[in-house]
Amino acid sequence: MMGATRHTAGVEPNPDMAVATTPTQTTEQTVLAGLARALVQHRVLRPDQAVAIQKKADAARTAFIDELITGGHLSAAQLARFAADTFGHPLFDLSAVDVDRLPDDLIDRKLASETRMVALAKRGSRLSLAISDPTDLQALDRIKFQTQSTVDPVMVEHDKLLKLVERLGRSASQQLADLVDESLELDLATDEAPSTIDSNTEVDDAPVVKFLQKVLLDAIHAGASDLHFEPYEKFYRIRLRVDGELREFAQPPLAIKEKLASRIKVISRLDISERRVPQDGRMKLVVGPNRAIDFRVSTLPTLFGEKIVMRILDPQAAKLGIDALGYEPDQRQALLDAVHRPYGMILVTGPTGSGKTVSLYSCLNILNEPGINISTAEDPAEINLPGINQVNVNEKAGLTFAAALRSFLRQDPDVIMVGEIRDLETADIAIKAAQTGHMVMSTLHTNDAPTTLTRLMNMGVAPFNIASSVILITAQRLARRLCACKQPADVDDDALLQAGFLESDLDGSWQPFRPVGCERCGGSGYKGRVGLYQVMPISEEIQRIILANGNAMQIADQARQDGVRDLRRSGLMKVMQGVTTIEEVLGVTNE
C-alpha cells in the first residue's frame, strides 16, 4: 500500500520499571488482556500503571486505549509505532489519505462507528483496514464476518482515526433512525410474513427488517443461546448470552423499539396489537440449504416498552450425542444402562439454562428407532426431532402435562418424555406409567440428585412409588470451556485443597490452566461450555432409605458410598483434565 512504512524503533521502556515483571508474577496483572497486556509485557507500562488505567477506563465506561492516550501515558503516534513494531503490521499516516476516495460501501457505517475501524482499500478478497488497537480481535471478527474478506490490518494513530470515523459520516444509530423515518411506512399489522425467514432472500428490504435479520445471523455466528431486546427510558439495547454470560451487542436508536418489536411479533405469529400481557411464540431462520435455526420468543411488558427474549434452539445440538456432552466414562455408562432399561423413570435436574433439554434429547436420539414409539409433552417443544411425536402443552385449552400423559398412555407408547414435573397429578401419572412397562424421562428444578427424591416426597408422592419407579437421577451444570489459548496457572496447594481437591490429587500429574484470550475466543479465554454431572443410579440401599422416609443428607451419604461424584467433584475432575478453570467450577457448583 502506498504511504505505508515499517518502523523498527519502538517505544522506550518505562524508566520507572525497576525490575522485569511478567504478567504471571502479579496477581492483578492476570486480569489484564489485549493492549494493556502487550504494553506490560514489553515494559512500556508497569503492571500497576496498566491496572490503574484499566480501572479508570472501566469507571468511565471507555476503552483502555482512550484512557491511555487522553491520560497522557502515551501519545497516539508512540502507540501506533509500538503496535506496528510489536504486532508486525504496517504503519500508515492518515494525514495523507484522500477521504473522498475512500471506499464507503465496504463496511456498514454503524459497524465502522462501533469498531472504530475504516476500510482503506480492497483488492480481491483482501481488505486493508485502518486500526489503532490490534488486540481488539472481536471487532476484527465482526468486520471479517460483515465483509466476508480477509483483513489486513494497517496501524494508524488513534486520534486521527477517530476524526476520520466521525468525518466519514453520521453515527450508525442516526443513520438507521433516518432510514426508518424515511422508508418504513408499511403497516406491519397487515404484514403476512411467514414464520420462517430465509436468510438468502432479498424480498424484505426495509431497514428494520434487514437490521433484525443481521442481528439474528450475528447472534448465531457468535454462538449465542439467547437474545435480549431491552427498552429503557433513554436508550434501547440488544444483549447476547454467549457461553452463559450476557454481553451488550448493540444500542440501536430508541425510535425503532416499537417497529422492531412488531416485526419480531409478526414473524413469531404473535398478536402485535396486544402489548399489555406477555406472549410466547416461535420462529425459524433458514441459514443454509440444509440448516434452519429455531427461535423461542417471549415478550414481556415493561415500563418503557416490550422486552423480548429469543432463545436460540439449534437442532444440531441434540444430535451431538452423549459423548460430546462431557460425561465421564463411568457416568456415561450408568446413563446408557438406564436408558436401555425396558421401563422406569429417569430424572434430569438443574437450573434453567443448564442443558437439561439437550441431555434429554440426546437420550431420546439413542432410542429413536423405527421399532420404538416415542412421545413428548413440552412447554413448548424446543427442538424438532423427526421420528418423535412432540406435543406442546396448552394450559388455556386444558392440554396440561397430566392431560397429555393420559393421552399418551392410550397411544401405545414405549418411551414418554415429560418436559417438567410440576405438580402431584403429573408426578403420579408419570410414575404409574413407569411402573406399567414404559420408559419415562422428565426434569425437575432441584439443586442436586439426592434432593430430587425428597422433592418428590414433599410433592406428596408415596415413598413406595418413588423407590419402585425411579431408576436414575442426573443433576447438571454448565461451565465455560477453556479455549486452546489457555496457559498454565500457578496455584498453591492450599488454594487447591480449599477448592475441594484431595491430598491424593496433588501428585504433580496434572496442571491447572487459566484463560488468556485470542482471536478464536474473542479475547475471553473461553470457547463453548462443558457439562458437569452428578449421575446417581438408585441402588437397593438408596431405595431402603426412601422407603424409610430418609432425608436428602442420608441419600447423599449413601450415594457417596456407592461411588457417585457430586457436582463439585465432577467439576474438579474437569479442572484436572485442563477443560475448565477452578473459578468456573466454584462459580457454578455448591459444596
Side-chain angles (χ1 to χ4, degrees):
M1 178 182 300
M2 294 184 63
T5 58
R6 288 295 311 274
H7 287 255
T8 56
V11 180
E12 291 296 322
N14 192 314
D16 296 330
M17 293 284 289
V19 294
T21 305
T22 63
T24 56
Q25 290 175 307
T26 306
T27 302
E28 280 188 307
Q29 179 58 26
T30 59
V31 302
L32 295 175
L35 191 59
R37 181 181 178 84
L39 289 167
V40 171
Q41 285 180 327
H42 289 80
R43 302 183 62 196
V44 177
L45 293 177
R46 296 194 313 269
D48 61 309
Q49 286 180 314
V51 169
I53 296 170
Q54 184 64 68
K55 288 182 177 178
K56 196 170 181 181
D58 291 342
R61 300 192 65 163
T62 60
F64 177 86
I65 189 173
D66 295 320
E67 189 60 40
L68 180 72
I69 293 173
T70 57
H73 304 282
L74 282 181
S75 69
Q78 285 178 317
L79 181 60
R81 285 196 300 272
F82 165 79
D85 293 335
T86 303
F87 294 93
H89 300 315
L91 187 64
F92 185 75
D93 185 1
L94 282 179
S95 302
V97 74
D98 184 353
V99 178
D100 295 330
R101 307 188 86 176
L102 285 176
D104 60 357
D105 58 346
L106 295 179
I107 301 177
D108 178 73
R109 288 187 180 182
K110 176 178 180 292
L111 184 59
S113 177
E114 288 180 352
T115 59
R116 301 194 291 189
M117 297 178 179
V118 173
L120 298 176
K122 186 174 184 182
R123 293 181 179 87
S125 63
R126 306 194 73 86
L127 177 69
S128 296
L129 190 67
I131 66 172
S132 57
D133 183 357
T135 65
D136 192 353
L137 303 177
Q138 191 170 7
L140 286 170
D141 279 343
R142 293 179 66 189
I143 298 288
K144 289 178 189 175
F145 179 69
Q146 194 253 323
T147 61
Q148 295 295 302
S149 303
T150 301
V151 171
D152 293 325
V154 177
M155 295 309 309
V156 298
E157 295 172 31
H158 186 63
D159 52 353
K160 293 180 180 178
L161 178 61
L162 295 184
K163 290 178 182 177
L164 179 60
V165 170
E166 184 178 0
R167 182 178 173 183
L168 282 175
R170 297 159 299 168
S171 70
S173 295
Q174 183 180 353
Q175 180 194 28
L176 181 58
D178 290 346
L179 283 171
V180 170
D181 292 339
E182 289 170 8
S183 60
L184 201 61
E185 296 297 331
L186 68 155
D187 183 2
L188 288 175
T190 61
D191 191 349
E192 296 297 329
S195 57
T196 299
I197 314 172
D198 188 340
S199 64
N200 295 318
T201 62
E202 297 181 2
V203 176
D204 296 317
D205 59 353
V208 165
V209 174
K210 293 169 69 176
F211 174 71
L212 174 61
Q213 187 157 301
K214 186 172 189 315
V215 168
L216 299 181
L217 289 172
D218 284 352
I220 294 169
H221 176 73
S225 61
D226 299 87
L227 262 165
H228 293 237
F229 297 83
E230 302 172 318
Y232 296 95
E233 183 178 13
K234 304 284 188 184
F235 66 97
Y236 186 69
R237 73 176 177 185
I238 300 172
R239 292 193 291 174
L240 306 181
R241 187 177 295 279
V242 181
D243 292 339
E245 291 195 340
L246 276 175
R247 305 175 184 174
E248 186 167 307
F249 174 73
Q251 283 198 19
L254 190 61
I256 74 165
K257 67 178 182 180
E258 292 183 1
K259 294 183 175 73
L260 196 55
S262 294
R263 176 61 186 169
I264 293 172
K265 289 164 75 173
V266 163
I267 60 181
S268 304
R269 301 296 192 189
L270 301 178
D271 183 358
I272 66 170
S273 64
E274 180 56 79
R275 300 177 182 174
R276 299 165 298 173
V277 297
Q279 297 186 68
D280 294 306
R282 55 189 304 132
M283 53 164 281
K284 181 178 290 187
L285 180 66
V286 179
V287 294
N290 299 311
R291 190 182 180 205
I293 305 295
D294 291 315
F295 293 82
R296 190 179 71 194
V297 181
S298 173
T299 70
L300 180 70
T302 67
L303 286 177
F304 304 106
E306 287 182 287
K307 175 181 177 179
I308 299 177
V309 175
M310 304 177 76
R311 169 67 58 87
I312 302 174
L313 306 168
D314 188 353
Q316 298 298 322
K319 299 177 182 178
L320 293 174
I322 292 290
D323 294 339
L325 299 183
Y327 286 95
E328 297 298 330
D330 58 330
Q331 294 176 332
R332 183 176 65 248
Q333 190 57 51
L335 180 59
L336 291 175
D337 289 344
V339 166
H340 287 105
R341 295 267 291 272
Y343 58 88
M345 178 180 284
I346 296 174
L347 296 173
V348 180
T349 75
T352 302
S354 61
K356 299 189 299 295
T357 301
V358 171
S359 293
L360 280 177
Y361 271 103
S362 297
C363 294
L364 292 179
N365 255 331
I366 295 171
L367 299 173
N368 189 12
E369 298 176 356
I372 297 180
N373 180 21
I374 303 175
S375 296
T376 73
E378 302 166 75
D379 185 20
E382 295 189 356
I383 300 172
N384 178 28
L385 284 182
I388 294 178
N389 307 293
Q390 297 172 272
V391 175
N392 280 336
V393 300
N394 187 337
E395 302 272 351
K396 293 180 181 178
L399 182 56
T400 62
F401 279 119
L405 269 172
R406 288 194 189 94
S407 179
F408 287 167
L409 293 176
R410 294 189 291 270
Q411 291 277 320
D412 185 29
D414 296 303
V415 178
I416 296 172
M417 195 269 271
V418 186
E420 182 183 352
I421 293 178
R422 298 175 178 171
D423 51 52
L424 177 59
E425 183 182 16
T426 305
D428 271 339
I429 299 171
I431 282 175
K432 287 174 184 175
Q435 291 172 334
T436 54
H438 305 94
M439 171 57 67
V440 180
M441 301 179 188
S442 188
T443 69
L444 272 175
H445 288 283
T446 56
N447 290 327
D448 57 17
T451 56
T452 305
L453 296 169
T454 55
R455 169 73 188 281
L456 289 172
M457 295 182 200
N458 292 337
M459 288 174 65
V461 181
F464 170 80
N465 286 332
I466 298 173
S468 62
S469 59
V470 180
I471 58 174
L472 181 135
I473 301 174
T474 295
Q476 62 184 70
R477 300 288 189 277
L478 289 177
R480 290 185 295 171
R481 186 189 294 268
L482 279 167
C483 179
C485 63
K486 64 186 179 182
Q487 291 184 2
D490 186 14
V491 184
D492 60 56
D493 288 353
D494 289 340
L496 294 174
L497 292 172
Q498 189 174 358
F501 287 101
L502 306 175
E503 289 279 1
S504 57
D505 294 331
L506 310 182
D507 56 4
S509 62
W510 58 277
Q511 169 72 55
F513 287 87
R514 62 181 177 85
V516 177
C518 66
E519 183 175 353
R520 182 171 176 267
C521 61
S524 69
Y526 296 95
K527 184 71 173 176
R529 291 191 287 179
V530 64
L532 311 181
Y533 301 95
Q534 180 185 26
V535 180
M536 187 178 81
I538 306 302
S539 63
E540 291 184 3
E541 291 77 11
I542 293 178
Q543 287 178 335
R544 292 192 186 97
I545 296 173
I546 297 170
L547 291 171
N549 289 313
N551 57 38
M553 292 182 63
Q554 293 173 303
I555 296 171
D557 289 339
Q558 183 58 52
R560 275 192 291 270
Q561 295 178 36
D562 293 342
V564 175
R565 289 184 294 275
D566 60 16
L567 289 166
R568 172 65 62 84
R569 183 62 187 171
S570 294
L572 296 180
M573 289 186 68
K574 292 291 188 291
V575 174
M576 296 170 70
Q577 295 163 10
V579 175
T580 188
T581 62
I582 298 173
E583 292 77 14
E584 272 296 295
V585 172
L586 297 182
V588 300
T589 62
N590 291 321
E591 197 164 26

